[in-house]
Amino acid sequence: MANARAFIAAGGKAGWRMFSFKHNQHQSSEAKDLAKSMGFKHFHLDFTSRWKDYDYDGTFRDVDKIQVDDYYIEKPSMEKKLTTVVEKINKKILPNEVVNDFATRKISCVSCSNNKFEIYLLASGYVTPCCWIGDPKTHESQKLVDDYNKINLNKISLDEILKGSFFRKLEQGINGTDTSVRLNACYHCCGVN
């Protein structure tokens, strides 16, 4: 808090992004008021999508709580009261129904858009477009790998990796031309057009 106050006092434009969990969901209005009184420029209440995600073993999970060391972080309850609080705080109406456009919309890839390309190089030598895809041996992207040697900079050149089947499958999934190779990580982290 001292750092936030110093940043704001020096002319910094601070934003507060609060993730709602069961243990803090009742404090969202209080946090917004505190942010305003401290001089934050904006406050946004958010929810993580990690409840339906791939764990570090590459297994899909749909859970209400996640163990962190010796305690659990629990999913917030989505009661009408909480939804009303979120609507007030974010000043937008939440849809009554979630539209599943996973298979139909083009992904707005932050790492591969507007002639801007990035790579993420893991210490093990594996090359992916970004950190959200994670380790291709343990995360969801493992389903796109034909041969781990063909995405490892210790085994072949970067040019060969970028022209190889792993990046071609990623491109097809991002563009929506082959939904069987689309990744939840891409869809949920970067979003769609």
Side-chain angles (χ1 to χ4, degrees), residues 127 150 152-163:
V127 177
K150 293 186 178 178
N152 193 306
L153 201 52
N154 295 318
K155 307 290 182 183
I156 65 173
S157 72
L158 181 59
D159 189 53
E160 290 173 294
I161 293 171
L162 296 175
K163 290 178 180 175

Side-chain angles (χ1 to χ4, degrees), residues 140-158:
E140 178 192 19
S141 60
Q142 65 184 302
K143 74 180 188 179
L144 307 182
V145 180
D146 298 324
D147 181 349
Y148 285 100
N149 289 330
K150 293 186 178 178
I151 60 168
N152 193 306
L153 201 52
N154 295 318
K155 307 290 182 183
I156 65 173
S157 72
L158 181 59

Side-chain angles (χ1 to χ4, degrees), residues 117-131:
F117 300 96
E118 299 175 5
I119 64 164
Y120 180 70
L121 176 61
L122 283 79
S124 57
Y126 294 117
V127 177
T128 68
C130 68
C131 64

Side-chain angles (χ1 to χ4, degrees), residues 17-28 44-48 51 73-78 82 86:
R17 184 176 181 197
M18 176 181 174
F19 279 88
S20 182
F21 299 100
K22 187 174 182 180
H23 69 272
N24 71 352
Q25 68 185 33
H26 66 285
Q27 296 174 306
S28 53
H44 183 78
L45 183 63
D46 210 343
F47 299 90
T48 181
W51 308 111
I73 295 176
E74 296 181 65
K75 186 178 185 177
S77 62
M78 288 303 295
L82 179 61
V86 172

